[in-house]
Amino acid sequence: MKRAVYPGSFDPVTYGHLDIIRRASEIFDVLIVSVLDNKAKTPLFSVEERVKILKEATKDIPNVEVDSFSGLLINYAAKKNLHIAVRGLRAITDFEYELQIAQTNRKLSEGKLDTMFLTTSLEYAYLSSSSVKEIASFGGDISQCVPDFVAEMLYEKYRIVH
Ligand code: ADP
């Protein structure tokens, strides 16, 4: 049984993430999408909210599980007996950052945690959770970026009436 973890902030999940989730779910028997509870960042959505959003957005993909973790990914992966982390790559700027994290994780885990990259589908290459939040905060159209129920939740956070 091939299992992998897709870790991230997912604040909130976008169609870019969902595209990676769908494609990774076709490669692995089980894909665990895990929300990182990063105390150093101030997210818009709480971990509980992000988990709930991800569960709703992936409910039609039976082999996807949603979870959360804090601390080092290698410790979480070891506890769950997971050896592959999936990450998405949009541009060369993602690559430099992701390469460093992947190599650090491999080194720290003594080779037990490897990273697999999926390149973004071109139609989502421009998408990021932060740009979606910025557009939503000004009441802009985010229907091409996130599922409708996520857009509603975003406007609600920014108290935008649509
Ligand atoms: P981070 O974990 O770096 O705070 P995110 O939660 O936004 O960031 O992203 C988690 C993973 O999804 C990262 O590997 C990121 O590169 C990838 N990702 C984010 N947006 C997209 C997108 N539009 N297309 C493909 N991959 C993406």
Side-chain angles (χ1 to χ4, degrees), residues 9 11-12 14 16-17 26 29 32 39 54 56-57 89 91 98 142 146:
S9 306
D11 186 38
T14 68
H17 297 125
E26 285 164 14
D29 298 309
I32 300 168
K39 305 282 185 227
L54 274 164
E56 176 63 26
L89 287 178
E98 294 288 344
I142 47 170
V146 294

Side-chain angles (χ1 to χ4, degrees), residues 8-14 17 35-36 41-47 49-50 53-54 128-133 146 150 154 157-158:
S9 306
F10 306 110
D11 186 38
V13 70
T14 68
H17 297 125
V35 175
L36 170 61
K41 282 189 187 173
T42 317
L44 182 64
F45 291 98
S46 69
V47 173
E49 287 174 314
R50 284 179 273 159
I53 292 172
L54 274 164
S128 72
S129 296
S130 30
S131 63
V132 172
K133 283 183 278 194
V146 294
V150 181
L154 275 161
K157 284 271 180 200
Y158 295 114

Side-chain angles (χ1 to χ4, degrees), residues 3-10 13 17-18 21 25 30-36 46-69 76 80 82 149:
R3 294 155 74 241
V5 57
Y6 179 23
S9 306
F10 306 110
V13 70
H17 297 125
L18 289 170
I21 291 173
S25 75
V30 177
L31 180 72
I32 300 168
V33 182
S34 205
V35 175
L36 170 61
S46 69
V47 173
E48 293 73 27
E49 287 174 314
R50 284 179 273 159
V51 166
K52 215 169 144 201
I53 292 172
L54 274 164
K55 280 189 178 160
E56 176 63 26
T58 60
K59 66 177 183 206
D60 61 329
I61 319 175
N63 60 334
V64 168
E65 292 171 18
V66 183
D67 193 17
S68 63
F69 72 104
Y76 170 75
K80 290 252 167 187
L82 297 162
F149 80 95

Side-chain angles (χ1 to χ4, degrees), residues 82-155:
L82 297 162
H83 303 286
I84 300 172
V86 172
R87 296 285 286 177
L89 287 178
R90 281 162 294 192
I92 201 78
T93 42
D94 273 351
F95 179 76
E96 281 187 33
Y97 169 75
E98 294 288 344
L99 181 71
Q100 191 187 14
I101 296 179
Q103 286 173 339
T104 306
N105 282 339
R106 220 170 112 73
K107 183 81 185 162
L108 283 182
S109 68
E110 294 169 340
K112 290 192 188 73
L113 183 66
D114 233 319
T115 305
M116 208 186 87
F117 295 105
L118 288 177
T119 52
T120 180
S121 297
L122 282 180
E123 65 264 45
Y124 304 125
Y126 70 97
L127 259 183
S128 72
S129 296
S130 30
S131 63
V132 172
K133 283 183 278 194
E134 194 171 354
I135 299 167
S137 73
F138 293 110
D141 179 8
I142 47 170
S143 58
Q144 309 286 308
C145 310
V146 294
D148 288 349
F149 80 95
V150 181
E152 289 306 322
M153 290 176 81
L154 275 161
Y155 292 134

